[in-house]
Amino acid sequence: MTFLVLLASAAFRSSLGVLLVPIEEDLGWSRTDTSLAVSVNLIVYGVAAPFAAAILERAGVRRTAIVALALIAAGCLVTVVMVEPWPLWVAWGIVIGLGTGAVALVFGAIVVNRWFAERRGLVLGIIGAAWATGQLVFLPLLAAAAEAWGWRAASLLIAVWCAVLVPLVALVLRDRPADVGLLPYGAVEAPEQEDTPPSARAAVARAVVVLRAAAPTRPFLLLAGTFFICGWTTNGIISSHFVPAAHDHGMSATVAAGLLAVVGVFDIVGTIGSGWLTDRFEPRVLLAVYYGLRGTALLAVPALLGTEVEPPILVVVALFGLDWVATVPPTVILCQAAFGPERGGIVFGWVFAAHMVGAGAAAAVSGAMRSASGSYTSAWLLAGALAVAAAAASTVLPRVRGRAVAPTA
């Protein structure tokens, strides 16, 4: 059920690129109008994650998922009847930003930490693959719906999907194994639980308290810093600028978009495989390998992009896919090991927020570098260098295999 909830969130995220142009053409809006909605959504989506993690502790997983799905459905319905840009900014940017932020990867991390004492890495990999699966499943479906019946039909499709999930979540999803008389998978005794915040305000305050306690520590600074670079080198430059960069080299937009679809296919394999590996190897070593391979691929892009798809660029695209979300399982495990199973979810929320800030910064900086030089070469080289730096930083993260690591200043 958690997989399906994340799939619904991924459905909206995959719709952004599909619906922008049809909305602009139908309503006569500018790219500035629609891009503002996307920017607000990205910011709210990232900032909401740590607070959502705290509220999850107060309201529970099931109620949070229900409210989040309702917000996504409501936001999509508002867009169907809008005639001015500002409802798009509110619906896509704020309402859906809050909804998707509440059921982002932080949501999955908390569910896994509560329900699994063993095989956490593998389950995190499967849940993380929901994002790639959502894009693979919904992107062509939404594109076909928008082309055949208009963008409003595509928006309604997302709303209906989320609405259908609400009663299923209410019936099936439970907050903790103890609610149905079970222990977490692989546990021999019930885990200790921290006190539940007495109110939503207290839950939000707890998110801030956890940040204050975690922020000065070396594990947090390293995890947030490397995940900032993770966002920079995925959503920030590849999602935002790969197609325009390929176009600069004479490749058609359709072919370049097809290469990004290949990224999605390999992402499923890479994320699940990363979860399996995280259960068996040091997470910090895995992160070093992932970021190192990503850096190598990014540094090679300027030399390999051309008018046609050659085998070397396919290898690079496959590397992008294999480690796109592969960083999530080891990062979640490191957060949980360093800060505990309860606070670890909130800490990962803040680390995830750093990821989205990195993505936003990369989108702006890479575009500015392209405007200044007339080429994306410097942007690719900067991203590759940052990924290599993240690989080096990962090697000095605390060892966590087989034991919890106390945060150190």
Side-chain angles (χ1 to χ4, degrees):
M1 184 54 66
T2 301
F3 185 94
L4 293 178
V5 172
L6 290 172
L7 202 65
S9 178
F12 170 76
R13 302 216 61 78
S14 67
S15 74
L16 295 176
V18 174
L19 302 184
L20 281 183
V21 173
I23 288 175
E24 292 166 2
E25 292 178 346
D26 181 40
L27 299 176
W29 296 349
S30 69
R31 180 59 54 87
T32 301
D33 292 330
T34 54
S35 295
L36 179 59
V38 177
S39 298
V40 174
N41 175 271
L42 193 64
I43 293 170
V44 173
Y45 171 76
V47 172
F51 296 104
I55 292 175
L56 274 164
E57 303 293 343
R58 167 61 187 171
V61 170
R62 180 171 57 174
R63 281 193 288 179
T64 300
I66 290 172
V67 172
L69 291 170
L71 286 173
I72 298 172
C76 290
L77 290 175
V78 168
T79 63
V80 174
V81 297
M82 65 186 178
V83 293
E84 295 181 6
W86 70 264
L88 183 69
W89 305 336
V90 174
W92 271 19
I94 299 175
V95 176
I96 298 180
L98 288 171
T100 53
V103 289
L105 291 175
V106 176
F107 175 85
I110 288 177
V111 171
V112 172
N113 282 339
R114 288 182 175 183
W115 284 82
F116 292 85
E118 295 181 356
R119 305 296 177 91
R120 282 176 173 167
L122 177 60
V123 180
L124 283 166
I126 295 172
I127 288 177
W131 292 84
T133 304
Q135 292 181 358
L136 288 172
V137 171
F138 284 100
L139 189 56
L141 183 61
L142 293 172
E147 183 177 351
W149 302 300
W151 64 268
R152 290 180 176 84
S155 191
L156 282 173
L157 188 62
I158 301 172
V160 169
W161 169 248
C162 292
V164 167
L165 280 181
V166 168
L168 292 177
V169 168
L171 289 172
V172 176
L173 195 60
R174 292 295 180 268
D175 292 334
R176 300 175 185 273
D179 295 343
V180 288
L182 298 175
L183 293 175
Y185 177 84
V188 295
E189 60 182 14
E192 295 183 5
Q193 297 181 17
E194 293 189 4
D195 294 335
T196 300
S199 66
R201 177 179 296 182
V204 171
R206 185 182 179 212
V208 177
V209 169
V210 170
L211 175 63
R212 288 176 177 172
T217 68
R218 185 166 63 93
F220 179 84
L221 294 174
L222 289 170
L223 289 166
T226 53
F227 228 44
F228 175 94
I229 293 174
C230 183
W232 187 295
T233 53
T234 52
N235 301 86
I237 188 167
I238 299 175
S239 294
S240 302
H241 294 286
F242 182 82
V243 173
H247 183 267
D248 285 350
H249 288 263
M251 186 181 293
S252 71
T254 302
V255 174
L259 288 174
L260 287 184
V262 174
V263 172
V265 173
F266 279 92
D267 182 29
I268 297 174
V269 177
T271 307
I272 295 176
S274 176
W276 184 87
L277 290 170
T278 301
D279 288 329
R280 290 160 175 79
F281 299 97
E282 274 282 351
R284 65 191 181 97
V285 175
L286 293 177
L287 285 180
V289 172
Y290 298 156
Y291 286 124
L293 289 174
R294 186 182 300 175
T296 302
L298 287 164
L299 291 171
V301 167
L304 299 180
L305 277 179
T307 57
E308 303 294 334
V309 177
E310 302 291 344
I313 193 64
L314 287 175
V315 173
V316 167
V317 166
L319 284 175
F320 284 156
L322 287 173
D323 70 5
W324 186 275
V325 189
T327 55
V328 171
T331 300
V332 171
I333 294 300
L334 284 163
C335 288
Q336 182 271 332
F339 300 98
E342 296 292 335
R343 288 192 304 160
I346 299 175
V347 170
F348 179 67
W350 287 111
V351 170
F352 183 76
H355 181 282
M356 301 313 298
V357 172
V365 170
S366 300
M369 296 175 81
R370 165 64 175 80
S371 298
S373 66
S375 168
Y376 276 104
T377 298
S378 57
W380 291 117
L381 295 179
L382 173 60
L386 288 172
V388 172
S394 298
T395 63
V396 297
L397 281 163
R399 295 178 61 90
V400 300
R401 189 65 179 171
R403 64 187 179 88
V405 177
T408 58

